[in-house]
Amino acid sequence: MTGLGSMGQSIGAAIGAQLANPGRVVAAICGDGCFAMNAFEVATAAAERLPIRVFVFNDERLGMVERGHQGVYGRHPDYPTAPLDVCTVARGLGATTLRVDGLGQLDAARDILRMTRGPVVVDVRIDPDIAIPRQDRVAAMAPGASRPARPRHAH
């Protein structure tokens, strides 16, 4: 219910996008639930030495499912994903891994993200009490839909 996309499709989609565009940087953004469903796609990326970057927003629960139940049915279910260790699983599948649980850590890992030849999986620890802003993903893709402004970097 966040508008990010269908649960479970982003890693496979990133592999397809990387194969179609080998000269581009391709990243998947998913939650820990999606990663739990499709982590073995990382083994395919490792076997093919595809340099995809997978950012796993990890709140140790199926947050999108919980919020969907709350919004549609008024229920407050609890669907934990713990004890899933994203880095251990991804490393076992052949990826380089990073864990980010504080400000500045991702920036410090810039060289690993840029230079690693195969897949990199980043376990981004997020606060489960903070909801990602909702956006209608279909409306956002419509022709003429407004797009968020790209941040400008000082040079």
Side-chain angles (χ1 to χ4, degrees), residues 13-100:
I15 289 171
Q18 187 69 71
L19 289 169
N21 299 284
R24 303 223 23 210
V25 175
V26 176
I29 298 172
C30 64
D32 47 322
C34 167
F35 184 79
M37 290 169 56
N38 292 304
F40 286 96
E41 300 286 357
V42 172
T44 300
E48 298 298 323
R49 299 189 55 86
L50 298 175
I52 64 169
R53 304 308 184 234
V54 180
F55 295 87
V56 181
F57 286 15
N58 188 348
D59 60 2
E60 296 186 348
R61 64 188 197 154
L62 299 179
M64 185 168 63
V65 176
E66 290 175 2
R67 285 196 172 82
H69 275 251
Q70 183 177 350
V72 174
Y73 305 112
R75 301 180 199 153
H76 299 279
D78 184 28
Y79 297 123
T81 57
L84 173 64
D85 186 329
V86 170
C87 289
T88 298
V89 171
R91 211 172 14 259
L93 296 170
T96 299
T97 63
L98 302 166
R99 180 176 171 157
V100 174

Side-chain angles (χ1 to χ4, degrees), residues 103-116:
L103 296 174
Q105 291 177 336
L106 193 56
D107 192 44
R110 183 180 305 185
D111 288 341
I112 293 170
L113 290 166
R114 287 185 178 163
M115 303 301 186
T116 302

